[in-house]
């Protein structure tokens, strides 16, 4: 038993509309944020920042963007990596071609560029849905990577197509160490996750869920399908664009268009399937699972002294088996399992 919310009464409209209406939830979030901002930078190593924490946060943001589109608005997409690529290369060109532009403003402009591309490729959602829409968004993946590879202006005429992210300087401070990059990424992810949490419970989020559940009924009761669907594509692509910019600047440093390939899009899709479709928390749980699983499996393989070829195949086999397991046992993923656990603990030890 963690806590029970009995006895906490809402005495005002503002109290009833808080993002975290239960006091224990607010305390828990504060503890997690203090641990992330204070304890982790003091205890973790540079390897942990570069190999675990920074990619975990970036992929959580990308999964959050895809969850907005697929989980809340019900629109399938296989082009998440393409939107990340647009955000990364647009941010690179904004910093390169506009001297003195703040790097955070370049990230925002990169996200807006990804949002415009998302709106353009979201237009087919007005006529098709389901797997046909997924196939249409798959075209985004191939088209964007092809453009970035063939049109050398995007890569500043680099012969190899590889770009090196410029140094990040914010308020005169160079963001050039793993700890500083982690804190920058963590700040961006926390702000955008809070915005997403607030957005999905607003009129915008309710319109997305109405379209997801039955678009014809949503249109009958007054929701404008075109505006609602394209807004979902724009917001989702914006989140993925920011994640792509952080992927290039805070994680890889040197990046090529092929880094944002179809495999990356599927990894992000698996994150929301395992973490929980239609859940903000699920985006973080799925990202943590996908990032930590290979590390844990490698440790097990080394502990058992397995051959290298067996260890590499073991990761793929376990990965596929877990996806099948979650699809069969709990389609709503880890977030739903966490919710069920909390409901059972609330009644413990007297379930009847």
């Amino acid at each position: 038993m963690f806590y029970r919310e009995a006895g906490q009464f809402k005495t005002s409209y503002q109290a009833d509309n808080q993002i975290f209406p239960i006091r224990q939830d607010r305390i828990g979030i504060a503890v997690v944020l203090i641990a992330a901002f204070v304890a982790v930078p003091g205890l973790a190593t540079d390897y942990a920042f570069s190999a675990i924490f920074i990619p975990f946060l970036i992929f959580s943001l990308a999964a959050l963007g895809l969850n907005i589109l697929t989980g809340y608005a019900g629109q399938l997409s296989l082009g998440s990596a393409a939107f990340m690529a647009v955000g990364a290369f647009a941010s690179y060109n904004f910093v390169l071609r506009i001297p003195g532009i703040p790097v955070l403003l370049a990230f925002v402009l990169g996200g807006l560029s990804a949002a415009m591309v998302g709106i353009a490729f979201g237009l087919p959602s007005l006529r098709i849905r389901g797997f046909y829409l997924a196939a249409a968004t798959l075209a985004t993946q191939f088209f964007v990577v092809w453009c970035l590879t063939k049109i050398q202006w995007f890569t500043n005429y680099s012969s190899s197509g590889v770009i090196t992210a410029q140094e990040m300087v914010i308020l005169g401070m160079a963001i050039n160490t793993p700890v500083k990059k982690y804190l920058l990424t963590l700040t961006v992810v926390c702000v955008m996750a809070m915005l997403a949490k607030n957005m999905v419970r607003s009129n915008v989020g309710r319109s997305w869920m109405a379209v997801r559940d039955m678009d014809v009924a949503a249109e009958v009761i007054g929701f404008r399908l075109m505006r609602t669907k394209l807004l979902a594509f724009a917001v989702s692509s914006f989140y993925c664009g920011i994640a792509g910019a952080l992927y290039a600047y805070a994680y890889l440093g040197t990046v090529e268009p092929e880094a944002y390939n179809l495999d990356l899009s599927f990894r992000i899709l698996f994150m929301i399937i395992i973490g929980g479709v239609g859940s903000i928390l699920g985006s973080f749980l799925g990202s943590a699972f996908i990032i930590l699983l290979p590390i844990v499996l490698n440790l097990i393989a080394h502990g058992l002294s397995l051959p290298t070829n067996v260890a590499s195949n073991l990761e793929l086999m376990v990965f596929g088996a877990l996806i099948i397991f979650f699809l069969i046992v709990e389609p709503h993923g880890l977030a739903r399992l966490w919710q069920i656990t909390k409901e059972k603990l609330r009644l413990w030890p007297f379930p009847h």
Side-chain angles (χ1 to χ4, degrees):
M1 178 178 64
F2 293 141
Y3 57 83
R4 290 172 178 156
E5 58 269 30
Q8 298 186 29
F9 303 104
K10 315 298 186 302
T11 57
S12 65
Y13 183 76
Q14 288 77 13
D16 194 38
N17 280 277
Q18 294 182 75
I19 296 180
F20 301 105
I22 301 174
R23 183 186 308 114
Q24 288 84 348
D25 285 344
R26 294 194 292 274
I27 295 173
I29 291 295
V31 170
V32 171
L33 290 179
I34 291 173
F37 277 99
V38 179
V40 172
L43 299 175
T45 63
D46 286 349
Y47 170 78
F49 285 122
S50 301
I52 299 176
F53 291 111
I54 292 177
F56 158 68
L57 292 171
I58 292 172
F59 284 127
S60 296
L61 187 60
L64 186 56
L66 181 59
N67 226 334
I68 288 174
L69 181 63
T70 302
Y72 288 99
Q75 308 300 307
L76 290 177
S77 173
L78 294 177
S80 304
F83 301 130
M84 292 177 67
V86 173
F89 282 82
S91 301
Y92 169 77
N93 279 283
F94 279 120
V95 176
L96 177 70
R97 304 181 193 285
I98 305 178
I101 185 175
V103 66
L104 290 180
L105 178 59
F107 286 177
V108 173
L109 293 176
L112 292 175
S113 301
M116 288 189 288
V117 175
I119 291 174
F121 284 92
L123 288 173
S125 67
L126 304 177
R127 301 297 299 270
I128 56 178
R129 66 182 72 176
F131 291 111
Y132 297 100
L133 178 60
T137 57
L138 189 61
T140 314
Q141 181 66 50
F142 298 124
F143 181 77
V144 169
V145 173
W146 180 84
C147 282
L148 295 176
T149 305
K150 297 299 180 182
I151 303 177
Q152 294 187 338
W153 183 86
F154 290 119
T155 59
N156 196 26
Y157 302 98
S158 169
S159 57
S160 60
V162 178
I163 62 170
T164 300
Q166 301 91 342
E167 184 181 14
M168 294 185 290
V169 179
I170 299 176
L171 300 176
M173 182 175 65
I175 311 297
N176 52 9
T177 64
V179 178
K180 292 178 180 177
K181 291 178 180 178
Y182 163 76
L183 290 174
L184 171 65
T185 307
L186 177 63
T187 304
V188 172
V189 171
C190 287
V191 171
M192 297 190 71
M194 195 62 69
L195 290 175
K197 179 77 174 175
N198 202 30
M199 194 187 311
V200 296
R201 68 195 190 108
S202 66
N203 291 337
V204 174
R206 293 190 181 97
S207 67
W208 288 341
M209 287 181 270
V211 170
R212 175 196 62 190
D213 293 339
M214 186 175 289
D215 54 356
V216 176
E219 188 174 21
V220 169
I221 62 176
F223 289 116
R224 297 164 59 186
L225 288 186
M226 179 178 178
R227 176 183 175 184
T228 304
K229 289 184 176 181
L230 294 186
L231 181 60
F233 269 96
V235 173
S236 169
S237 304
F238 179 80
Y239 273 71
C240 289
I242 298 292
L246 291 171
Y247 190 67
Y249 278 79
Y251 181 45
L252 295 179
T254 300
V255 65
E256 59 179 345
E258 287 298 330
Y260 301 92
N261 54 18
L262 185 60
D263 178 65
L264 183 60
S265 290
F266 275 111
R267 286 180 66 189
I268 298 171
L269 180 63
F270 294 152
M271 287 176 190
I272 68 169
I273 291 175
I274 293 176
V277 178
S279 167
I280 302 293
L281 176 64
S283 305
F284 290 89
L285 295 177
S287 175
F289 189 88
I290 297 296
I291 295 295
L292 293 177
L293 179 64
I295 298 174
V296 173
L297 291 178
N298 280 331
L299 292 176
I300 294 175
H302 284 295
L304 298 176
S305 301
L306 295 177
T308 306
N309 58 344
V310 176
S312 59
N313 291 326
L314 177 67
E315 175 185 336
L316 297 176
M317 288 187 290
V318 173
F319 195 74
L322 286 173
I323 290 176
I324 295 173
F325 171 79
F326 279 107
L327 288 176
I328 294 175
V329 176
E330 183 48 76
H332 295 95
L334 295 172
R336 178 58 182 161
L337 290 177
W338 171 244
Q339 184 180 2
I340 292 173
T341 303
K342 287 200 302 183
E343 290 172 356
K344 290 185 178 298
L345 288 173
R346 281 196 186 98
L347 299 176
W348 184 85
F350 305 110
H352 303 291

